[in-house]
Amino acid sequence: ITGGGENRGFAAGVNLGASKARGARLLIINPDAILQPGSVKAMEAARANFAEPIIVGGRVFGEDGKEQRGARRRRLTLASAAATFLGLGWLKATNPAFVNVNRNSEPQPDGPVPMDAVSGALMYLSRSGFERLGGFDEGYFLHVEDIDLCRRAEADGGSVIYTPFASALHHGATSDSPTATVERHKAASLNRYFRKFAETPAEKSVAAMLSPAITAALMLRARFRR
């Protein structure tokens, strides 16, 4: 509607849409997702008693009714990325940091709960909060920009909340882009994220060393999917 037919990437596209919107609240939802009844009311209610900037997410499920990955996430770290994308979850036995970043296999909470990150496929926040954070980082073309935004919200004294009372049916796999292209963007985004948030020389070195491994693992996964 507002993009002029140009694919700016998810972050830049949402920022453009937000700049055209006039409401006090922003609902960010994938174009291949169908918001379920009562979800906006539930996300607004989940904001109560939390500090701005507040980001609220909800359950994202597929046509099979199962919760998809990404709507509930732990903090993305080098260790959790290695467990999730490099298949090193078995190291959790010796180091609990090596845990899958996705929490979709866990039982649903009884109500709104703090969460490290929620999905940009279903995200609700105030315009003032979004503007305070400077919107999404447009250095990400696809993937991880939502995790980045959630991390910056917490660093700014804000809150990230997940409510099971809001949900969206996400069809998924509706893009014409080849799987390898999508995975390449994901690898670039992960590598950008770790470089951006590395705080010590050691973290920067590890991020640089893991970069080719993450890229190779995701491209190999794309090949198997194809």
Side-chain angles (χ1 to χ4, degrees):
I1 296 173
T2 64
E6 178 185 353
N7 186 358
R8 295 172 166 81
F10 183 87
V14 170
N15 287 348
L16 176 63
S19 72
K20 303 293 184 182
R22 293 292 175 263
R25 297 284 189 265
L26 298 174
L27 173 66
I28 301 165
I29 184 167
N30 273 22
D32 57 355
I34 300 173
L35 191 67
Q36 301 301 289
S39 291
V40 170
K41 183 177 180 180
M43 288 188 285
E44 180 65 29
R47 292 171 44 83
N49 303 318
F50 288 101
E52 283 276 23
I54 305 168
I55 299 176
V56 182
R59 181 173 178 265
V60 179
F61 63 97
E63 295 179 72
D64 58 2
K66 294 181 180 178
E67 181 181 351
Q68 296 180 340
R69 292 176 297 178
R72 295 185 283 161
R73 295 186 179 113
R74 295 181 176 85
R75 171 65 64 89
L76 180 61
T77 64
L78 288 167
S80 64
T84 305
F85 302 109
L86 301 181
L88 298 181
W90 54 272
L91 288 173
K92 183 182 177 182
T94 56
N95 187 336
F98 285 87
V99 63
N100 195 307
V101 70
N102 297 303
R103 305 185 66 171
N104 55 295
S105 62
E106 300 177 11
Q108 287 287 329
D110 294 330
V113 293
M115 193 65 55
D116 288 321
V118 295
S119 175
L122 178 60
M123 185 177 279
Y124 182 79
L125 64 169
S126 68
R127 165 181 295 284
S128 59
F130 189 76
E131 292 177 348
R132 175 171 158 181
L133 293 170
F136 284 108
D137 179 348
E138 297 184 11
Y140 300 96
F141 186 83
L142 182 66
H143 289 297
V144 190
E145 65 287 295
D146 48 4
I147 299 176
D148 177 292
L149 188 72
C150 290
R151 182 162 179 166
R152 287 189 285 121
E154 287 193 335
D156 196 30
S159 314
V160 180
I161 308 299
Y162 172 86
T163 175
F165 304 136
S167 62
L169 167 60
H170 182 214
H171 289 283
T174 58
S175 171
D176 292 331
S177 298
T179 301
T181 300
V182 174
E183 294 298 309
R184 190 176 296 112
H185 283 306
K186 183 182 291 185
S189 293
L190 284 166
N191 293 326
R192 174 181 176 79
Y193 174 89
F194 290 123
R195 291 194 305 270
K196 178 177 179 177
F197 290 106
E199 296 178 349
T200 66
E203 287 181 350
K204 293 177 181 178
S205 297
V206 173
M209 289 187 293
L210 271 183
S211 177
I214 290 173
T215 302
L218 291 177
M219 296 311 297
L220 185 62
R221 185 170 69 175
R223 178 173 296 182
F224 279 119
R225 284 179 177 177
R226 184 175 60 192

